[in-house]
Amino acid sequence: MASSKERFIGLEWLRFFLGLYIVIFHTLHNYPSIRSWSGYVTDLGFFSTSTFFILSGFLLAHVYLNDQHEMREPARSFMTKRFANLYPIHIGSCLLAMAVSAGVGYLALTAQDAGTSLRFVLYDVNNDTGIVNPEALRHTMGDVELWFNVVLNVFMLHAWNPYYLTFNPPSWSISALFFFYLTFPFIAPRLMKIKRTRLAILITNLVYLVPPLIVIAFTPFDMPETGILHRNPIIRLPEFIAGILLCAFYMQQKNAGKLLNLRGKLALVLYIAVCCLVAIWLLEHGRAWYYLLHNGLLLTAEMALIYLCVHIPTPSSERLTRFAGRLGGASLPMFALHVPLYVIFSRSEQILKGEPSLCPDNLRLCLAAAGESSVWLYPVYLLLTVILCILFQEQFVVRIRRWILSWMLPAAPVRNKTHAERMADPQEPR
């Protein structure tokens, strides 16, 4: 299984930068002073999530299938380990987000904050409704809705709600990943045996484009179709499948001695850059393009980025390799934690810029004197987010994961993982 133990240091860096970009995508727009140009930086935020889904398929196929393209451990063991990797991140981030939401509503630094609660959600649409009447998108969940969505979150099924995102919105990606992991033992061995991988990737891409084309042709870009395209695990499954097929293609090319040379690498860099620039331009030409770019038009560019990073050689410095591993291991916590961390950081900044000395004696006067957030402190937020997510992964997630495995797989004691196995677990520290 020499191929399964190959080290892809480039994918460690890629995972980290995908996580960092999604953080920027969801937070940079909060600074009015830079909104005239910040959209050019954040418009393709969905590129990061899609690439992460493809990367997950690639890594799992690379590590958990043997040379005969068979699972190297029982499906039950595989699924239990995947659950143990995801659940601590999801529950930990969800509880933090719920606590932050309740705290923000209580403090009510702004009029918008005053309306924040666990029950408040925004309907997921991609038409002019929110521009014409923003109140039409605001919704307060009743008791039945609230508890129904609590149950969905407890069982990591919240990505299946197409109407709105609850509690910790970015965590829908964890719900989708969990579904992908459940399908892996059944689809991956078959996909890896496909010989004509280019044709299979093309067919997968075309199938992925069918749902957005249907939505564009027959709907007003309203709900629930927007939410379905955005996060429904079945609709997003082609990205995970594409990652498995990309692994099969890589193995075939490697065995044939046809890996990329310098010219091929430069060609991929140019292709990715052109695709992104054209995508940013198309997003300014109608809402239909958002659906197409979000669900399929950029799939080959996302795969090209992963394939390019696979060819990055491992450095001789073991310290640098370990550092890259720790950053890569923090990628999924960054996806899950960045929103509540930003709320904590920005509200704390506002209070500190006001009259914080008033807080011990008169909290309301202290809050009334709060200042404004500054984009100049934004790099501090990014740095703190990275550090906290590394600590969250290594000090909380790993410990809970070990406890879950000792409970659910008592006959299989937790062992030290190989580097390749840790690569397949985006949450595992290196």
Side-chain angles (χ1 to χ4, degrees), residues 346-366:
S346 60
R347 298 329 186 258
S348 299
E349 179 190 352
Q350 289 179 261
I351 293 173
L352 291 174
K353 284 187 173 180
E355 297 291 341
S357 60
L358 295 174
C359 290
D361 299 322
N362 194 322
L363 180 60
R364 282 301 156 193
L365 280 179
C366 175

Side-chain angles (χ1 to χ4, degrees), residues 31 341-350 377 380-381 384:
Y31 300 95
L341 290 179
Y342 179 78
V343 174
I344 294 172
F345 178 84
S346 60
R347 298 329 186 258
S348 299
E349 179 190 352
Q350 289 179 261
L377 287 178
V380 176
Y381 159 70
L384 288 175

Side-chain angles (χ1 to χ4, degrees), residues 251-288:
M251 293 300 180
Q252 292 170 6
Q253 295 297 105
K254 181 183 177 183
N255 292 336
K258 296 181 179 180
L259 294 180
L260 291 177
N261 54 24
L262 179 60
R263 181 179 298 180
K265 295 174 184 177
L266 293 176
L268 280 188
V269 170
L270 179 62
Y271 177 71
I272 295 165
V274 169
C275 286
C276 290
L277 291 174
V278 172
I280 293 173
W281 180 76
L282 289 175
L283 285 173
E284 302 295 325
H285 292 76
R287 300 177 187 276

Side-chain angles (χ1 to χ4, degrees), residues 27-83:
T27 56
L28 190 62
H29 64 85
N30 287 300
Y31 300 95
S33 62
I34 61 171
R35 283 180 187 165
S36 60
W37 58 264
S38 61
Y40 295 107
V41 177
T42 61
D43 276 350
L44 294 182
F46 55 83
F47 187 98
S48 182
T49 305
S50 294
T51 306
F52 196 89
F53 287 164
I54 299 168
L55 179 58
S56 295
F58 181 96
L59 287 174
L60 288 178
H62 173 68
V63 173
Y64 284 99
L65 298 178
N66 59 25
D67 290 341
Q68 290 72 46
H69 309 308
E70 299 170 343
M71 291 289 295
R72 64 176 183 81
E73 63 180 83
R76 177 179 177 273
S77 172
F78 171 84
M79 292 178 182
T80 301
K81 292 176 181 178
R82 303 285 69 71
F83 170 80

Side-chain angles (χ1 to χ4, degrees), residues 132-364:
V132 176
N133 181 19
E135 291 300 317
L137 300 183
R138 299 169 68 89
H139 176 66
T140 301
M141 294 186 290
D143 290 342
V144 174
E145 283 181 286
L146 176 65
W147 287 109
F148 177 71
N149 282 285
V150 167
V151 171
L152 290 182
N153 275 269
V154 168
F155 290 98
M156 288 195 293
L157 298 173
H158 47 296
W160 298 88
N161 179 351
Y163 290 96
Y164 47 73
L165 293 163
T166 56
F167 309 136
N168 186 27
S171 72
W172 72 265
S173 58
I174 294 179
S175 175
L177 276 174
F178 184 55
F179 174 77
F180 300 160
Y181 292 168
L182 293 178
T183 68
F184 180 81
F186 308 102
I187 65 174
R190 294 169 175 81
L191 292 172
M192 286 293 289
K193 293 176 183 177
I194 293 176
K195 301 300 182 183
R196 302 180 66 181
T197 49
R198 289 187 178 91
L199 178 60
I201 290 171
L202 174 61
I203 293 173
T204 300
N205 201 166
L206 293 176
V207 169
Y208 191 26
L209 284 167
V210 170
L213 289 172
I214 293 174
V215 167
I216 292 168
F218 298 106
T219 76
F221 305 166
D222 210 327
M223 57 182 178
E225 55 267 20
T226 296
I228 291 173
L229 290 185
H230 179 203
R231 57 187 173 273
N232 183 275
I234 295 177
I235 298 297
R236 301 299 294 267
L237 183 61
E239 293 175 338
F240 187 69
I241 290 174
I244 299 172
L245 292 172
L246 181 62
C247 183
F249 174 76
Y250 169 76
M251 293 300 180
Q252 292 170 6
Q253 295 297 105
K254 181 183 177 183
N255 292 336
K258 296 181 179 180
L259 294 180
L260 291 177
N261 54 24
L262 179 60
R263 181 179 298 180
K265 295 174 184 177
L266 293 176
L268 280 188
V269 170
L270 179 62
Y271 177 71
I272 295 165
V274 169
C275 286
C276 290
L277 291 174
V278 172
I280 293 173
W281 180 76
L282 289 175
L283 285 173
E284 302 295 325
H285 292 76
R287 300 177 187 276
W289 286 111
Y290 173 81
Y291 282 139
L292 291 170
L293 291 165
H294 187 283
N295 288 68
L297 276 189
L298 287 174
L299 184 69
T300 55
E302 293 153 357
M303 297 177 71
L305 178 59
I306 294 171
Y307 196 66
L308 182 66
C309 290
V310 164
H311 288 77
I312 296 177
T314 299
S316 57
S317 171
E318 186 63 29
R319 178 178 297 180
L320 180 60
T321 300
R322 287 198 304 268
F323 179 65
R326 295 184 73 189
L327 292 178
S331 58
L332 198 52
M334 288 168 68
F335 272 73
L337 288 171
H338 69 274
V339 169
L341 290 179
Y342 179 78
V343 174
I344 294 172
F345 178 84
S346 60
R347 298 329 186 258
S348 299
E349 179 190 352
Q350 289 179 261
I351 293 173
L352 291 174
K353 284 187 173 180
E355 297 291 341
S357 60
L358 295 174
C359 290
D361 299 322
N362 194 322
L363 180 60
R364 282 301 156 193

